[in-house]
Amino acid sequence: MDKKFPTVEIDMTTCKGCAMCIENCPPKVLKFSTEFNTLGYQYAHYTGSGCTGCEACFYACPEPGAVKVIKEVKIKQKTTAGASA
Amino acid sequence: MEQTKIVTKSKPTGFYENFDRKVGKDKKTTHYCPGCSHGIVQKLVAEAMVDLGIQDRTIFISPVGCSVFSYYYLDAGNIQAPHGRAPAVATGAARARPDSIVISYQGDGDLAAIGTSEILHAANRGENMTVIFVNNAIYGMTGGQMAPTTLVSQKTLTSPAGRLVENDGFPIRMAEIISSLGAPTYVERTACTDSKNIMRTRKAIRKGLQLQIDKKGFSFIEILSACPTNWKMTPKDSVQWIKENLEPYFKLGVLKDISDTREARSRSQPIFDPATVFGVLGLKKEEKQAVRTSKFAGERRLKIAGFGGQGALTAGALIAEAGMNEGLHTSWIPSYGPEMRGGTANCSVIISDKRVGTPIVTTSDVLIAMNGPSLDAFENDVVKNGLIIVNSSMISRKVARTDVRVVYVPLTEIASELGLKAMANSVAVGVFLQHEKILERKTVCDVLTTSLKKQSALELNFKAIDAGMTFKEGQKKGITQ
């Protein structure tokens, strides 16, 4: 694994296997698992590398909490005036 | 070196953490089918509510349809509206709470079929609200029947050979219809297909909500959505089907946007002050709460019937309200023809010491028959030992049954004699008070004092009630002077 972030976590217990995330993932790093979850669906999972943090899977997923995208962003250096306001 | 932080994009806080109201063990997922666009749209709404800082003043109106249970999920003010009436409910909510952000969320069966009138008039009034119209060209919740937006030749449960123009007309383009009206500010059609279109949908929802925050009026966002289950396709094929079939007919894009020139308009402040409200209605408000003063135990079911204009309904309302003021449980429902005068009218009244279930009276303890047809219609519905009050001024025949108590009173004549023929109903109420000792004369008169429109006739009505109470059979007229 080259980099820790960005990454995507798919909650296998709430995924309903619609594949909207898999279809919409630009770098194609999401795949179907070979197993079924407790809801009875073949869930999606992250292959482990190549996530760009674009969030396309997050917005394509119809489940409120199944997809989580984690990334590292730069903190913009604010000017002292108004920074704390 | 640049500083960095870790950010997580996860379930928007516009959703409840757990969906506790949802039935079953699983409190984390929605009830939507895999690939259903409702989930996507509601995630966008939940996210927008938080980002725009309006979550604590948003009222989300759930429709009837698959999204009927949206209030399980969205952590906002929620109202579930009757089928198709979300824009009407949203109008009420917006006017009662001028600072609220109201979202009328509807499907195509709800908005374009049963609720066509509500949406058109809400749009035409330019109500300051945001309508989200999830159009999947089919009835989802009920199992895939043809909707007004079902495409020509599209097969559904109720169009097994495909929608026929000869039979069912063409699919309705709601966004075009709404955009043809003068008042709406912003109308756009988007689709829940790929990332690009989902992000356009996101932008449209945020714009619609922002316009409402800015008090710029009515916005309407139609979202072409997938229903894989009822289309009998995979979610992937559903997306393709939207692109190839729905999009050519329901063109995507902004159909109307006058938000730049539209001036912000505040909603008028509602008035909740009881004195003002009662004043407008011409009523007198007495600041008292009904306490149980009546010693009556049990239940009486009344049917009061006559010609329209004889006051049968008013007499029933008078008895019911007096019962209420004595702390009893009462119900009153009218039944009448379309005519204001001369048709037949009746009402059902229930007075009880316990809560009233159904207000419908099929068998009655008391029948007040103001005219012949009423006696004919309801005589046999009176229970054994029940009471029938017959207006002998207008009914020449006698009651055929022998197992009931009957009082023959010339109600109309007594009222005419007192000077007002229209008071026959008050005389009847008096007779009722005398023979069924449930209510006090005073409470009935108190109701008249506050409710009688023609206050100059108040004293006359008191006299009419007294005439009814003191009437004895065999007496030619009921006046005791």
Side-chain angles (χ1 to χ4, degrees):
Chain A
M1 243 172 273
D2 47 356
K3 249 168 74 184
K4 199 179 168 198
F5 299 114
T7 186
V8 53
E9 288 175 9
I10 294 170
D11 180 2
M12 64 165 278
T13 62
T14 58
C15 172
K16 289 179 181 168
C18 70
M20 288 292 277
C21 59
I22 297 174
E23 290 300 319
N24 282 290
C25 176
K28 300 287 171 209
V29 295
L30 300 174
K31 294 272 185 298
F32 266 132
S33 68
T34 51
E35 291 164 354
F36 293 86
N37 63 12
T38 49
L39 297 172
Y41 298 112
Q42 212 181 338
Y43 54 92
H45 74 112
Y46 177 37
T47 53
S49 64
C51 175
T52 61
C54 71
E55 300 175 358
C57 53
F58 172 81
Y59 287 107
C61 175
E63 272 307 313
V67 175
K68 193 187 275 186
V69 178
I70 309 160
K71 52 187 171 183
E72 200 169 11
V73 293
K74 288 170 194 164
I75 297 172
K76 282 177 190 160
Q77 294 296 321
K78 288 173 186 165
T79 52
T80 47
S84 58
Chain B
M1 201 180 141
E2 272 179 325
Q3 277 189 310
T4 59
K5 62 174 177 178
I6 306 295
V7 290
T8 305
K9 191 86 178 175
S10 57
K11 184 175 172 180
T13 51
F15 285 113
Y16 291 114
E17 194 185 337
N18 292 309
F19 305 143
D20 289 325
R21 296 182 75 176
K22 195 189 160 202
V23 180
K25 272 188 194 165
D26 175 18
K27 307 290 188 193
K28 288 286 182 188
T29 68
T30 63
H31 68 286
Y32 301 124
C33 305
C36 172
S37 303
H38 274 306
I40 301 175
V41 178
Q42 291 188 358
K43 188 188 271 185
L44 297 175
V45 172
E47 187 197 39
M49 281 196 312
V50 177
D51 291 354
L52 298 173
I54 54 171
Q55 188 177 358
D56 60 350
R57 59 185 178 116
T58 295
I59 303 174
F60 189 90
I61 319 286
S62 307
V64 170
C66 288
S67 51
V68 64
F69 292 135
S70 301
Y71 55 86
Y72 285 0
Y73 312 125
L74 289 163
D75 188 3
N78 284 289
I79 303 176
Q80 201 279 309
H83 205 356
R85 273 60 183 177
V89 174
T91 301
R95 292 190 178 193
R97 305 187 72 94
D99 294 328
S100 60
I101 299 296
V102 289
I103 303 172
S104 178
Y105 185 96
Q106 302 178 263
D108 46 306
D110 192 79
L111 182 141
I114 193 167
T116 329
S117 150
E118 277 73 16
I119 189 63
L120 279 183
H121 289 288
N124 199 42
R125 290 191 302 268
E127 293 291 343
N128 189 24
M129 62 164 77
T130 309
V131 177
I132 295 176
F133 172 36
V134 175
N135 178 6
N136 57 16
I138 206 159
Y139 277 82
M141 183 177 87
T142 48
Q145 291 83 359
M146 179 171 61
T149 48
T150 295
L151 293 180
V152 173
S153 77
Q154 182 185 339
K155 286 181 184 171
T156 69
L157 202 64
T158 46
S159 59
R163 181 180 183 146
L164 275 177
V165 171
E166 300 88 318
N167 227 23
D168 317 310
F170 290 92
I172 299 183
R173 294 182 176 107
M174 285 310 295
E176 280 79 351
I177 293 174
I178 301 294
S179 65
S180 73
L181 300 170
T185 305
Y186 166 59
V187 182
E188 177 164 358
R189 186 186 284 120
T190 65
C192 251
T193 49
D194 48 30
S195 287
K196 189 180 81 182
N197 282 300
I198 291 169
M199 294 320 271
R200 277 190 187 149
T201 306
R202 179 175 183 263
K203 203 176 143 200
I205 289 172
R206 294 166 96 90
K207 176 161 179 169
L209 291 173
Q210 187 60 51
L211 287 174
Q212 191 180 164
I213 294 168
D214 298 341
K215 306 181 196 307
K216 288 211 169 184
F218 189 89
S219 51
F220 184 92
I221 300 131
E222 176 171 341
I223 303 165
L224 302 182
S225 300
C227 182
T229 302
N230 285 306
W231 291 354
K232 300 174 175 48
M233 293 177 201
T234 63
K236 183 184 171 184
D237 291 344
S238 300
V239 165
Q240 202 55 32
W241 194 83
I242 295 177
K243 290 182 179 175
E244 287 170 7
N245 297 279
L246 284 182
E247 285 181 16
Y249 188 85
F250 297 107
K251 295 267 189 306
L252 302 185
V254 178
L255 288 121
K256 182 178 183 187
D257 185 359
I258 54 165
S259 55
D260 286 345
T261 52
R262 175 77 193 253
E263 275 174 35
R265 232 182 283 161
S266 288
R267 294 182 183 129
S268 55
Q269 285 297 322
I271 298 161
F272 294 120
D273 168 43
T276 315
V277 173
F278 276 77
V280 169
L281 295 171
L283 299 170
K284 288 175 196 160
K285 169 77 176 164
E286 286 185 58
E287 294 287 340
K288 64 169 186 192
Q289 209 162 0
V291 276
R292 179 75 59 94
T293 53
S294 172
K295 290 190 176 63
F296 172 67
E299 187 175 273
R300 286 288 184 286
R301 306 165 75 81
L302 285 74
K303 184 74 85 175
I304 308 171
F307 288 129
Q310 275 188 312
L313 305 191
T314 316
L318 177 59
I319 291 169
E321 200 172 336
M324 202 160 67
N325 289 350
E326 291 195 23
L328 294 164
H329 293 277
T330 63
S331 71
W332 173 86
I333 48 166
S335 167
Y336 46 84
E339 311 91 337
M340 287 298 281
R341 293 281 183 275
T344 58
N346 73 74
C347 68
S348 302
V349 176
I350 300 175
I351 301 177
S352 176
D353 62 341
K354 296 193 178 59
R355 283 181 69 176
V356 178
T358 172
I360 296 164
V361 172
T362 46
T363 57
S364 54
D365 301 302
V366 180
L367 167 65
I368 301 177
M370 309 279 289
N371 67 356
S374 302
L375 185 62
D376 297 345
F378 299 114
E379 180 182 338
N380 289 329
D381 297 336
V382 178
V383 298
K384 200 178 169 189
N385 295 325
L387 174 70
I388 303 181
I389 299 169
V390 178
N391 180 9
S392 58
S393 308
M394 303 190 88
I395 307 169
S396 48
R397 78 168 175 96
K398 297 289 172 192
V399 171
R401 289 176 59 181
T402 53
D403 59 346
V404 291
R405 293 174 291 143
V406 186
V407 193
Y408 297 95
V409 195
L411 299 172
T412 315
E413 283 169 68
I414 294 172
S416 302
E417 199 96 348
L418 285 169
L420 195 61
K421 198 176 148 191
M423 297 188 311
N425 59 346
S426 292
V427 181
V429 171
V431 177
F432 167 75
L433 290 179
Q434 183 63 25
H435 285 82
E436 293 280 333
K437 299 208 184 305
I438 302 174
L439 303 171
E440 297 295 323
R441 176 191 180 275
K442 186 182 176 301
T443 41
V444 174
C445 292
D446 285 350
V447 172
L448 275 179
T449 309
T450 53
S451 71
L452 193 71
K453 280 185 194 144
K454 197 176 170 188
Q455 285 288 314
S456 60
L458 195 59
E459 286 300 324
L460 272 180
N461 273 279
F462 293 163
K463 275 188 185 170
I465 289 172
D466 291 338
M469 289 184 77
T470 53
F471 175 79
K472 294 208 170 45
E473 272 185 270
Q475 204 178 316
K476 196 173 172 355
K477 297 275 151 57
I479 306 160
T480 49
Q481 285 164 349

